[in-house]
Amino acid sequence: MKTQAIPAPVTSGPAANQAQRMQTLRLRVLEAHRVLFDSGLTTLTWGNVSQVDREAGLIAIKPSGVRYQDLTPETIVVVDLEGNKVAGELRPSSDTPTHAALYRAFAGVQGIAHNHSSYATMFCQAEAEIPCLGTTHADLFHGPVPVTRQLTPLEVESGYEVNTGLVIVERFRSLDPAAMPGVLVAGHAPFTWGKDAMAAVEAMITLEEVAKLAWGTLSLRPTTPPLAGHIVAKHYSRKHGPKAYYGQC
């Protein structure tokens, strides 16, 4: 998987600007896939990452069934916000309708990652939320990571991937996607999101770690209570929102 510098446009005008925006999206999504692959959380061709350019109405996403090692800027597929292919010779990920549904519903989300990492997927298969048991979890997820319901037979038959997205949106009717940048799809696998593709991948890596910590903690002590709410709030606010002070300005 090779990356390259973002090229300068050689022409001007709307068409050249569109081409440049597509190339920028492709390169950023390619780099996010490289980081996900290097994390060791992927198996075979499972999973995908995307990023949206809302002004241009474009989404760049992994092609379906292509190995991470074989990805190049040219293989990254560009679609519109309805999931229709705009650029690229390969078919986009089969999960493209899910990504598009989430972008349409969650205005603040700019990047989405999907994976079948072991521990997070075990919680999906158990249809169990990941409880917030410690500060590692609270640093990114403000509360337990939610799990969706399973899709109905009609939802599977009428549009499995788009309805997967709609079931996620349904689960977030009373939740803030910014404060909870991830979800467990019952019987399937997790999705995470963020301000761009790289942030979505970082959320996926974090989700897998907190799932592993929760699984181990509950194995040692099944009656472990959730972390106290005031500690959850403190650790989340240290990194997010107007009172954040973690890291450098």
Side-chain angles (χ1 to χ4, degrees):
M1 192 185 313
K2 298 180 180 179
T3 59
Q4 63 187 57
I6 298 174
V10 295
T11 59
S12 60
N17 181 59
Q18 184 87 336
Q20 179 67 12
R21 296 180 88 131
M22 284 195 294
Q23 185 70 349
T24 298
L25 274 179
R26 282 171 150 168
L27 289 166
R28 289 176 178 170
V29 168
L30 177 66
E31 178 64 10
H33 279 101
R34 184 192 66 77
V35 172
L36 182 59
F37 180 78
D38 289 347
S39 73
L41 299 184
T42 60
T43 301
L44 300 175
T45 62
W46 304 353
N48 40 72
V49 185
S50 70
Q51 183 167 319
V52 66
D53 180 333
R54 293 187 180 277
E55 184 177 343
L58 301 172
I59 301 169
I61 193 166
K62 181 180 179 290
S64 180
V66 175
R67 299 191 315 163
Y68 285 78
Q69 306 95 307
D70 296 336
L71 294 176
T72 66
E74 292 71 31
T75 60
I76 301 297
V77 185
V78 180
V79 301
D80 63 21
L81 285 170
E82 297 300 322
N84 302 304
K85 188 165 72 170
V86 173
E89 295 184 0
L90 302 177
R91 288 185 299 168
S93 167
S94 57
D95 293 309
T96 297
T98 306
H99 288 241
L102 295 180
Y103 285 128
R104 292 194 298 268
F106 299 158
V109 169
Q110 301 293 105
I112 295 171
H114 173 54
N115 194 23
H116 291 251
S117 56
S118 298
Y119 286 90
T121 301
M122 283 192 284
F123 277 89
C124 294
Q125 294 179 169
E127 297 186 47
E129 66 182 20
I130 303 174
C132 185
L133 302 176
T135 61
T136 306
H137 181 129
D139 281 341
L140 182 62
F141 302 101
H142 197 184
V145 179
V147 61
T148 71
R149 63 172 174 81
Q150 288 196 24
L151 275 69
T152 66
L154 178 59
E155 288 170 331
V156 170
E157 292 301 319
S158 64
Y160 174 66
E161 289 81 10
V162 69
N163 283 322
T164 296
L166 296 180
V167 165
I168 295 171
V169 174
E170 173 191 286
R171 183 64 183 85
F172 272 73
R173 283 177 181 166
S174 59
L175 296 173
D176 180 4
M180 183 55 61
V183 67
L184 309 170
V185 177
H188 184 38
F191 284 80
T192 55
W193 47 78
K195 64 181 181 180
D196 54 28
M198 194 64 73
V201 168
E202 291 173 357
M204 182 64 73
I205 293 170
T206 303
L207 178 63
E208 176 66 4
E209 186 62 21
V210 300
K212 182 177 180 180
L213 290 171
W215 182 89
T217 301
L218 294 172
S219 297
L220 289 169
R221 184 188 175 196
T223 58
T224 301
L227 185 65
H230 63 281
I231 301 178
V232 174
K234 176 61 177 179
H235 269 263
Y236 184 82
S237 65
R238 289 198 316 163
K239 290 190 173 184
H240 310 277
K243 297 182 179 180
Y245 60 87
Y246 176 89
Q248 305 301 314
C249 295

